[in-house]
Amino acid sequence: MKPQRFALTPGEPAGIGPDLCLLLASQAQPYPLIAITSRDLLAERATQLGVAVKLLPVSPDAFPDKPAEPGSLYVWDTPLAHQAVAGKLDKANAAFVLETLTRAGQGCLDGHFAGMITAPVHKGVINESGIAFSGHTEFLAELTNTAQVVMMLATRGLRVALVTTHLPLRDVADAITVERLERVTRILHADLQQKFGIARPRILVCGLNPHAGEGGHLGREEIDIIEPTLERLRAEGMDLRGPLPADTLFTPKYLEHCDAVLAMYHDQGLPVLKFKGFGAALNVTLGLPIIRTSVDHGTALDLAGTGRIDTGSLQVALETAYQMAETRL
């Protein structure tokens, strides 16, 4: 059996990603965890934070088989274009960020890593550099030649996947099509089985409209699109409940008996999840041939280099990636 190694990308070098990696190094890990970033960046940020971390160089020719000792961190050195200053974006380092993601993603495809965990990137500065970039999800989908992926956020006791993601609210209803809903539901169901080890996932599905359309009086998407699609998938054996009104679905009566919620749009499901799991939630990209988890927060430029950060989200992202990899063994 190949050793289970994991790649960790710190994201935007001016943000809190490098800080998170360094603080995490104080904790024992069950598997080798390799930070793909600039060794100089980590050394400088460690000095700024006043933390002592032993940076252990690794290369693709000699990846470690054993976890690093607490207080140490494996680093696959990836040079910066310019020295990074905590809190100050520099578009010259945009290509560096994408190179770390490429190394991690390709390493997963090649079997060097069992999964990858990502700290936050800054989409704006990457685009300002002249590189078109929509986000981790789209970048990894292209890298792995994956046609359709699904965003799911999770915290202890709740998983929420999205049919649509970053769309203006006025465009959401048009984007809820039979084809999209079916694709997303199939991916969610399959990954709950294959990556989370749930033999028969029970999925609660939100309606789009208030009161799930109120029998057509508040919109017909439930009648014309959502219910017929769910009924067809139920006939294949999927355990799908809904469409249910979102304002009653997110209550203990329903949530204690489900494995995931499928929300129709971003702000329908994620506010509830982030309230429940503030500081301890993560992002999982479903549908990829690799395991990828991420923190659920941004680059926090104002906190970079201060030490006033919480590693809770990154720790949950790590634990989930480990569990997913163990399930797939």
Side-chain angles (χ1 to χ4, degrees):
M1 182 184 300
K2 291 183 178 180
Q4 294 277 83
R5 305 184 197 92
F6 293 82
L8 174 62
T9 59
E12 168 53 48
I16 62 171
D19 309 46
L20 290 170
C21 295
L22 292 165
L23 295 177
L24 192 74
S26 65
Q27 305 170 22
Q29 299 297 327
Y31 301 106
L33 181 64
I34 299 169
I36 303 178
T37 187
S38 163
R39 188 180 185 281
D40 289 343
L41 167 64
L42 291 181
E44 291 167 3
R45 194 65 61 85
T47 299
Q48 186 172 356
L49 292 171
V51 298
V53 177
K54 187 176 182 180
L55 303 176
L56 307 174
V58 301
S59 71
D61 298 326
F63 282 133
D65 294 337
K66 296 180 180 180
E69 294 292 329
S72 301
L73 180 65
Y74 291 124
V75 182
W76 182 0
D77 190 32
T78 307
L80 288 161
H82 283 181
Q83 182 180 14
V85 178
K88 296 184 179 181
L89 296 172
D90 185 345
K91 63 184 180 181
N93 285 324
F96 155 84
V97 174
L98 300 188
E99 176 63 16
T100 65
L101 296 178
T102 299
R103 287 184 173 188
Q106 192 61 50
C108 290
L109 291 173
D110 293 342
H112 297 307
F113 306 125
M116 61 184 289
I117 301 94
T118 61
V121 298
H122 194 286
K123 299 183 186 72
V125 75
I126 296 174
N127 282 281
E128 288 172 10
S129 75
I131 302 172
F133 182 80
S134 301
H136 277 112
T137 302
E138 295 81 3
F139 182 87
L140 292 172
E142 183 176 354
L143 179 69
T144 59
N145 196 30
T146 304
Q148 179 74 39
V149 293
V150 173
M151 177 187 292
M152 183 175 79
L153 270 74
T155 190
R156 293 180 178 90
L158 180 61
R159 304 182 183 97
V160 178
L162 303 176
V163 177
T164 64
T165 53
H166 301 121
L167 289 179
L169 194 55
R170 67 172 61 250
D171 296 336
V172 168
D174 290 341
I176 306 294
T177 63
V178 169
E179 295 76 16
R180 181 193 288 259
L181 178 57
E182 182 172 333
R183 284 198 309 269
V184 170
T185 306
R186 288 188 185 280
I187 291 170
L188 172 60
H189 187 269
D191 271 15
L192 287 173
Q193 290 181 318
Q194 297 166 13
K195 295 179 180 177
F196 288 87
I198 303 170
R200 183 168 167 75
R202 177 174 294 183
I203 301 170
L204 301 183
V205 182
C206 296
L208 173 65
N209 298 295
H211 302 177
E214 195 77 68
H217 296 288
L218 295 177
R220 292 193 55 86
E221 285 81 7
E222 289 77 11
I223 295 172
D224 296 338
I225 297 171
I226 302 175
E227 178 57 38
T229 302
L230 299 186
E231 191 60 36
R232 186 168 60 257
L233 295 174
R234 288 189 196 105
E236 297 180 9
M238 294 189 194
D239 189 349
L240 306 171
R241 310 295 173 93
L244 296 168
D247 63 345
T248 54
L249 181 157
F250 286 104
T251 58
K253 172 185 174 181
Y254 290 101
L255 294 179
E256 65 186 9
H257 299 297
C258 85
D259 297 300
V261 173
L262 182 58
M264 291 296 121
Y265 58 96
H266 188 280
D267 282 12
Q268 183 181 58
L270 297 194
V272 179
L273 183 134
K274 292 194 175 186
F275 176 78
K276 176 179 173 60
F278 183 76
L282 74 147
N283 188 330
V284 184
T285 304
L286 305 179
L288 294 172
I290 65 175
I291 290 171
R292 180 258 171 168
T293 66
S294 179
V295 297
D296 77 332
H297 56 72
T299 54
L301 295 169
D302 58 322
L303 296 178
T306 68
R308 302 193 308 271
I309 59 172
D310 187 339
T311 62
S313 181
L314 181 58
Q315 188 61 50
V316 175
L318 280 167
E319 293 171 1
T320 302
Y322 297 157
Q323 291 164 5
M324 292 169 71
E326 290 164 359
T327 297
R328 296 183 73 179
L329 286 178

